[in-house]
Amino acid sequence: MAISQEDLRTVMDRGVAEIIDRNEFRKLLDRDKPLRLKMGFDPSSPDIHLGHTVGLRKLRQLQELGHKVMLIVGDWTAQIGDPSGVSATRPVLTHEQVQENAQTYMTQFFKVVDRDRTEVFWQSEWFGKFDLADVVRLTGPFTVAQMLAREDFRRRWDANRPIAITELLYPLLQAYDSVVVESDVEFGGTDQKFNLLMGRELQEMRGQRPQQCFMVPILVGTDGVQKMSKSLGNYIGVDDAPEEQYGKALSLPDDLIIPYFNLLSDLPTAEIDDMSSAMEGGANPMEFKKRLAREIVATFWSEEDAAAAQAHFEQTVQRGEAPDEAPTLWFARSDGVSGAVAVSSEQGGAKTLVSLSTVEFLYHHHAELGLSQSRTAAKRLVSQGAVEVDGQPAGDTLSLRDGSVVRVGKRRYLRLLEDRS
RNA sequence: GGAGGGAUGGCGGAGCGGCCAAUCGCACCAGACUGUAAAUCUGGCGCCCGGAAGGGCUUCGUAGGUUCGAAUCCUACUCCCUCCA
């Protein structure tokens, strides 16, 4: 398959941590047959964030060169829990949860990867009929020492911390997947190295050409320090709303702008380099960051959504105005009382609504405002000066009109409108 | 089979009879500052009453008990972990 020099560089160098074996992989790209690209996931926590998309984008690039993705739903390995990284005991998932998580995952997965060039497998297709003889045959050739070669096993072993036998099984199951789908290349983060190499080994034992291992770098999270992860809260989710993604992207430390462009956008490398030197020359990073944020939103949503998210950001954060689409609290004049809002007087055509008190208002409308249902919490907000009405700090009692906007903290708004219908 | 350690707020982790609604870190919320929802600083962070001072109620695996008083002591139970074999 003919591949341009530029594509080749993009595929093999941009956003790549390590390829084993690099030369082999290079040769495979020149073959006529589409490559079988393997990518597995455990349906244990279904949300995909930007950190995952670094690898997914690679898959996409290769799909566009004509190759095919084998997506493996790890419904068996999910039972075990990947010991890579943190070794917390995971709750065993029910069949329904697994199904559900897998669906969520795939919906997000296919925001980046081309569904038409993807084949989906479930581990249960083969492990469902595995018997003890198969297990013995699978585990037989491996030794404990081999397993202890892996860093996290080794560490726990040395520290006398428990290692479950099923955990040792994990890499083997993953390796077996490679045999079943006859994977040519398996993708994963650098933390997957051991598991990926296991696949190579097992394939060779079973008379297959060993897969290449393609490792992508771990993405640094929005805090600029630790790797992006949901549990650390420094992530941008694929499924986050456009404004959410945009806002989170803008909160990135400036020195992450360039790496993010490299790993998460299709902008030509030359253009990225230009930005880099422009910033070194004193250009305001804000503009580039906005561009980055737009790129990100557009990847997962659309250009229009990206533009809207930017407008939203500029309006609410930079200018501190209420968003157009603030939740609305409708009140009926005839009610007299709607929730905690009471119509108290009408002067010169403009009705004035007066709440019982600011605290009561927040308490009664906690749902619309996204607050917790607690008077104490509402009181705290009031005493902290977090409440304002139409741009003016609110006192102990609110004075509201048709069209008033109540703002709580930086990001919560509630618009009051009379229901004239 | 034997010996030992442990279960505390969303998480991690102090406390080991009154000064504990419970140190501290993370997360979270608010304020200030900022190009930024970052960083930093300040404050807050069980529920309820009160303008406030303050008061009340429910929490430290579960169930009982000792005590004027228990997250802290005792008993039983449940679960987790480590070491020896």
Side-chain angles (χ1 to χ4, degrees):
Chain A
M1 222 166 272
I3 177 168
S4 75
Q5 279 306 305
E6 199 190 328
D7 284 345
L8 189 65
R9 260 200 310 278
T10 305
V11 166
M12 293 196 53
D13 295 324
R14 184 156 153 189
V16 178
E18 188 179 0
I19 302 175
I20 299 171
D21 170 299
R22 217 180 143 82
N23 292 329
E24 274 300 309
F25 177 72
R26 172 77 187 79
K27 278 189 215 150
L28 286 182
L29 287 179
D30 287 332
R31 280 196 327 176
D32 283 337
K33 243 171 89 191
L35 289 174
R36 297 171 71 78
L37 313 172
K38 178 196 170 198
M39 165 82 202
F41 76 96
D42 284 350
S44 45
S45 76
D47 287 320
I48 300 184
H49 57 60
L50 287 192
H52 303 115
T53 66
V54 177
L56 303 193
R57 289 172 46 78
K58 267 299 157 206
L59 291 177
R60 178 68 190 227
Q61 285 167 12
L62 287 159
Q63 280 181 320
E64 273 160 21
L65 294 170
H67 304 293
K68 219 171 159 196
V69 170
M70 314 283 120
L71 176 66
I72 296 179
V73 184
D75 53 343
W76 272 81
T77 39
Q79 307 280 325
I80 298 171
D82 186 5
S84 299
V86 196
S87 63
T89 324
R90 304 190 189 198
V92 177
L93 301 170
T94 65
H95 181 67
E96 287 71 38
Q97 284 174 303
V98 168
Q99 294 282 328
E100 211 170 292
N101 289 351
Q103 280 316 321
T104 310
Y105 183 95
M106 283 193 270
T107 305
Q108 299 177 16
F109 184 83
F110 290 124
K111 278 192 166 185
V112 180
V113 177
D114 183 354
R115 184 172 230 133
D116 295 332
R117 290 182 188 160
T118 303
E119 209 173 318
V120 179
F121 301 86
W122 291 67
Q123 278 182 324
S124 46
E125 290 169 33
W126 47 91
F127 288 135
K129 30 184 201 274
F130 236 53
D131 62 21
L132 188 55
D134 293 318
V135 175
V136 172
R137 181 156 171 259
L138 175 64
T139 54
F142 296 96
T143 66
V144 172
Q146 267 174 292
M147 291 296 158
L148 288 178
R150 181 166 142 160
E151 199 197 346
D152 50 39
F153 284 149
R154 179 89 244 170
R155 248 206 313 273
R156 284 198 272 161
W157 177 261
D158 289 342
N160 285 329
R161 298 184 55 80
I163 301 169
I165 291 172
T166 49
E167 289 183 277
L168 299 178
L169 223 42
Y170 191 101
L172 298 179
L173 296 190
Q174 186 170 336
Y176 189 78
D177 297 340
S178 294
V179 173
V180 175
V181 305
E182 297 180 20
S183 146
D184 291 312
V185 189
E186 180 164 2
F187 290 77
T190 49
D191 55 348
Q192 283 288 311
K193 189 168 180 174
F194 183 90
N195 295 352
L196 302 187
L197 288 171
M198 221 53 179
R200 262 174 93 79
E201 215 156 319
L202 192 65
Q203 280 175 307
E204 204 158 18
M205 287 180 192
R206 303 281 172 120
Q208 289 185 14
R209 184 193 39 239
Q211 65 185 5
Q212 311 312 313
C213 308
F214 198 114
M215 285 160 276
V216 295
I218 303 294
L219 187 72
V220 176
T222 53
D223 59 355
V225 182
Q226 292 183 278
K227 71 166 187 176
M228 183 173 284
S229 99
K230 196 178 175 185
S231 53
L232 292 171
N234 60 355
Y235 72 103
I236 299 178
V238 165
D239 235 17
D240 284 349
E243 309 85 62
E244 202 67 23
Q245 293 181 336
Y246 192 94
K248 285 181 182 178
L250 274 204
S251 72
L252 284 175
D254 295 342
D255 55 7
L256 244 41
I257 297 174
I258 296 302
Y260 268 48
F261 265 118
N262 270 315
L263 297 177
L264 302 167
S265 82
D266 290 322
L267 286 199
T269 309
E271 206 170 318
I272 298 174
D273 290 343
D274 286 347
M275 284 193 256
S276 183
S277 29
M279 277 190 276
E280 273 162 34
N284 187 350
M286 187 72 191
E287 292 314 311
F288 299 108
K289 212 191 284 185
K290 281 186 167 179
R291 169 130 191 232
L292 172 66
R294 265 208 316 274
E295 288 282 334
I296 290 171
V297 177
T299 307
F300 305 112
W301 301 94
S302 69
E303 293 289 346
E304 297 78 67
D305 290 324
Q310 174 154 338
H312 176 270
F313 183 87
E314 287 167 353
Q315 184 174 5
T316 59
V317 179
Q318 298 194 303
R319 294 198 299 274
E321 298 167 2
D324 299 334
E325 75 291 5
T328 303
L329 178 64
W330 295 95
F331 66 88
R333 199 175 154 198
S334 55
D335 273 2
V337 174
S338 156
V341 182
V343 178
S344 76
S345 63
E346 186 168 353
Q347 301 171 332
K351 287 171 292 299
T352 300
L353 308 170
V354 178
S355 75
L356 305 177
S357 76
T358 307
V359 169
E360 287 305 307
F361 181 86
L362 297 184
Y363 178 70
H364 281 282
H365 301 289
H366 71 271
E368 294 95 317
L369 283 161
L371 302 170
S372 65
Q373 183 176 17
S374 151
R375 276 201 178 77
T376 312
K379 271 185 193 176
R380 275 197 293 267
L381 288 167
V382 173
S383 68
Q384 284 170 147
V387 185
E388 54 180 53
V389 177
D390 301 327
Q392 297 303 311
D396 289 341
T397 55
L398 290 174
S399 137
L400 304 165
R401 289 170 294 104
D402 187 15
S404 282
V405 174
V406 178
R407 180 189 193 187
V408 182
K410 279 186 169 52
R411 304 181 60 189
R412 289 181 252 264
Y413 297 90
L414 188 59
R415 173 170 279 135
L416 279 93
L417 289 177
E418 182 184 342
D419 184 356
R420 295 170 205 274
S421 61

